[in-house]
Amino acid sequence: TSKFNGKIIFEDIRTVEAEDDMGDKKIIVLSRSGEVRIVDMETNKVFTTQHVPYGGTLFVTDGQTVKKGDVIVEWDPYNAVIVSEFNGVARFSDIEEGVTFRTERDDQTGFEEKVVIETRDRKKIPTITIVSKEGEELRSYNLPVGAYISIEDGAATKIGQQIVKLPR
């Protein structure tokens, strides 16, 4: 949230436009070292510089004027995330039940999630690969131990979609 009236300046921020579950457009941050500066509109003096976390949702654009109290960026402070950078299909590799992941069930909601576990077989590296409709590999994401997988093998992915969360 902005603590000053001023102008927004982005520094090394890479974003994608995505749609949420309700079909509303949102801007998702894909850079890991991006910053937002709020500067005085007349003197260009920097009031504040803030890190913008990967996977956060931006509510402002570069050069936009903000008032004190305006929301700039929102993110989940309890989870780091992995976000799909492409539209495509998720393909799992080395994600095997009982070997590289276990299923956790929430007794209250009945919701099941796959959680990556430590494996004895060091050759198995749990990975989600996003492939295009033509079968071209667009990007692959290695999954650390403790990662909660949010999608299924073969599921369509949208740009900006959260595919993995990592509790902090």
Side-chain angles (χ1 to χ4, degrees):
T1 304
S2 176
K3 292 181 172 65
F4 304 95
N5 294 330
K7 184 169 97 174
I8 296 289
I9 304 290
F10 287 175
E11 181 73 32
D12 296 329
I13 293 183
R14 197 165 51 96
T15 63
V16 293
E17 191 174 283
E19 282 187 12
D20 62 13
D21 297 335
M22 307 300 269
D24 297 326
K25 300 259 187 249
K26 60 183 183 176
I27 300 171
I28 305 296
V29 178
L30 293 181
S31 54
R32 297 194 182 269
S33 60
E35 294 180 336
V36 167
R37 291 192 177 98
I38 301 176
V39 298
D40 187 301
M41 290 183 287
E42 292 155 16
T43 64
N44 275 349
K45 177 183 167 216
V46 176
F47 289 130
T48 184
T49 301
Q50 297 293 325
H51 172 75
V52 178
Y54 171 85
T57 302
L58 268 175
F59 294 98
V60 295
T61 57
D62 196 15
Q64 178 178 332
T65 303
V66 292
K67 295 185 192 84
K68 185 176 180 177
D70 287 353
V71 176
I72 296 171
V73 66
E74 203 174 69
W75 70 95
D76 182 352
Y78 302 107
N79 295 295
V81 295
I82 296 176
V83 174
S84 175
E85 295 179 39
F86 299 96
N87 291 322
V89 177
R91 297 275 182 245
F92 291 5
S93 64
D94 291 336
I95 299 178
E96 302 168 20
E97 188 159 15
V99 179
T100 57
F101 85 88
R102 72 173 182 274
T103 302
E104 283 188 5
R105 183 182 180 99
D106 185 332
D107 292 333
Q108 293 178 340
T109 64
F111 188 66
E112 288 186 351
E113 288 184 295
K114 294 177 179 71
V115 182
V116 176
I117 58 172
E118 191 90 33
T119 182
R120 293 179 191 190
D121 187 348
R122 295 282 170 224
K123 292 182 180 139
K124 293 197 183 292
I125 300 170
T127 306
I128 296 176
T129 303
I130 307 299
V131 295
S132 68
K133 288 179 172 59
E134 295 79 36
E136 175 190 355
E137 183 177 313
L138 300 171
R139 179 75 200 254
S140 65
Y141 304 93
N142 292 344
L143 307 180
V145 172
Y148 285 76
I149 302 170
S150 304
I151 59 174
E152 295 295 324
D153 191 15
T157 60
K158 291 189 236 170
I159 194 165
Q161 177 183 355
Q162 176 183 310
I163 57 176
V164 173
K165 68 179 181 178
L166 307 148
R168 293 184 190 204

